[in-house]
Amino acid sequence: MNNPSKPDIDESKAPLIDHLIELRQRLVRTVIALFIAFLVSFYFADEIFGILVAPLTDAFPPGEGRLIYTKLYEAFFVEIKVAMFAAFFLAFPIIANQVWAFVAPGLYSNEKRAFLPFLLATPILFAAGASLAYFVVMPLAFEFFLGFEGEVGGMTQEALPAMGDYLDLVMRFMLAFGACFQLPVLLLLLNRAGLVTREQLTGLRRYMVVLAFVIGAILTPPDIVSQFLLGLPMILLYEASLAIMWFTERKQEKTKAAE
């Protein structure tokens, strides 16, 4: 039965089997998009890995940086992982489009307007977090780590990072920062769903400060610079979420008063 107060929902009432067929079609398109993106990324894997290596190259003195691999197959699998990592970013717009096309027909028009900004904000915030990790955090962290090179007990202590270990570290940095930058999306969705209020989140502020740095300690390497540079943005994003909620509540109050 249609809700008269929400008349703009799509009128399709397809049986379950039709929805499953549509879901399969959209999953197939998603897999095809990922596969094509993987092939393209694999072709340019050396160039992409070169971009990922740039922060480490800059941290070494000119001409002194080296990457090694200790297993014969390691370099090949590094290229596979690089291609898979890049393929997800390349195919994400298509993946998001397929998710939206599957979900949207079941939403009312006001629900679509409420949900779409979150869908658009997700990749933007992820890219912002990954960019912070790449351009700011990784260079500072690598300079800190390389500061331990030198003479120790009469022997030379030298950094010889392995390709696989380095790629894992870069992916850990970028995924951790990208995921943590989704905090506003999560909080605003919970608030929109009525599961939490701005007052409740405001009361939890002091705990959030502690939690942010705990998460930073867990998701980043064990250095204070990386932990701080992840914890501080999370606190700022938390405060930004509270500010957005406050402005939204003010707008709703003005709308009700005008009615």
Side-chain angles (χ1 to χ4, degrees):
M1 181 179 296
N2 291 335
N3 189 333
S5 64
K6 300 177 181 178
D8 296 325
I9 192 173
D10 290 359
E11 294 296 332
S12 60
K13 292 186 177 181
L16 177 62
I17 188 65
D18 291 344
H19 289 299
L20 292 177
I21 292 173
E22 182 186 2
L23 177 61
R24 184 187 64 181
Q25 292 174 341
R26 301 205 177 278
L27 287 174
V28 168
R29 292 172 187 171
T30 298
V31 171
I32 291 173
L34 280 170
F35 181 70
I36 294 173
F38 173 79
L39 293 179
V40 174
S41 300
F42 186 72
Y43 182 80
F44 294 103
D46 286 340
E47 290 79 3
I48 297 171
F49 190 56
I51 295 172
L52 296 177
V53 168
L56 180 62
T57 303
D58 295 338
F60 273 105
E64 294 188 14
R66 284 196 298 166
L67 279 176
I68 64 171
Y69 59 96
T70 57
K71 304 178 184 68
L72 292 177
Y73 53 82
E74 184 175 0
F76 171 73
F77 280 102
V78 163
E79 291 197 352
I80 294 290
K81 292 172 69 174
V82 167
M84 293 176 62
F85 188 56
F88 174 78
F89 288 96
L90 287 177
F92 184 83
I94 297 175
I95 297 172
N97 177 265
Q98 293 301 311
V99 172
W100 176 252
F102 181 74
V103 172
L107 301 176
Y108 296 103
S109 60
N110 61 332
E111 293 172 337
K112 291 179 183 178
R113 290 193 297 270
F115 181 73
L116 187 57
F118 295 105
L119 185 65
L120 297 175
T122 297
I124 294 174
L125 289 172
F126 188 93
S131 298
L132 177 65
Y134 180 84
F135 290 107
V136 178
V137 180
M138 286 163 50
L140 292 174
F142 295 160
E143 288 183 9
F144 173 78
F145 296 146
L146 293 177
F148 292 95
E149 285 190 311
E151 295 290 330
V152 177
M155 300 186 67
T156 300
Q157 185 169 273
E158 183 181 3
L160 294 173
M163 296 175 65
D165 293 339
Y166 175 76
L167 180 61
D168 290 342
L169 182 61
V170 170
M171 292 172 62
R172 179 178 174 182
F173 265 121
M174 298 181 72
L175 292 175
F177 276 77
C180 288
F181 267 56
Q182 303 302 311
L183 181 63
V185 174
L186 175 63
L187 293 179
L188 292 171
L189 278 174
L190 292 175
N191 178 254
R192 183 66 62 88
L195 297 178
V196 295
T197 64
R198 182 176 61 85
E199 290 76 14
Q200 289 174 328
L201 293 175
T202 301
L204 295 173
R205 180 182 281 124
R206 68 184 68 179
Y207 302 105
M208 179 59 200
V209 172
V210 177
L211 181 62
F213 288 103
V214 170
I215 292 174
I218 294 173
L219 296 183
T220 62
D223 67 287
I224 191 64
V225 175
S226 303
Q227 296 169 15
F228 180 80
L229 290 177
L230 179 57
L232 181 60
M234 287 186 65
I235 295 171
L236 296 177
L237 290 169
Y238 189 84
E239 295 296 332
S241 302
L242 294 178
I244 293 172
M245 292 177 194
W246 182 80
F247 281 112
T248 302
E249 291 173 0
R250 287 283 303 272
K251 183 178 179 181
Q252 292 174 346
E253 291 173 0
K254 290 181 180 180
T255 302
K256 291 180 180 178
E259 293 176 354

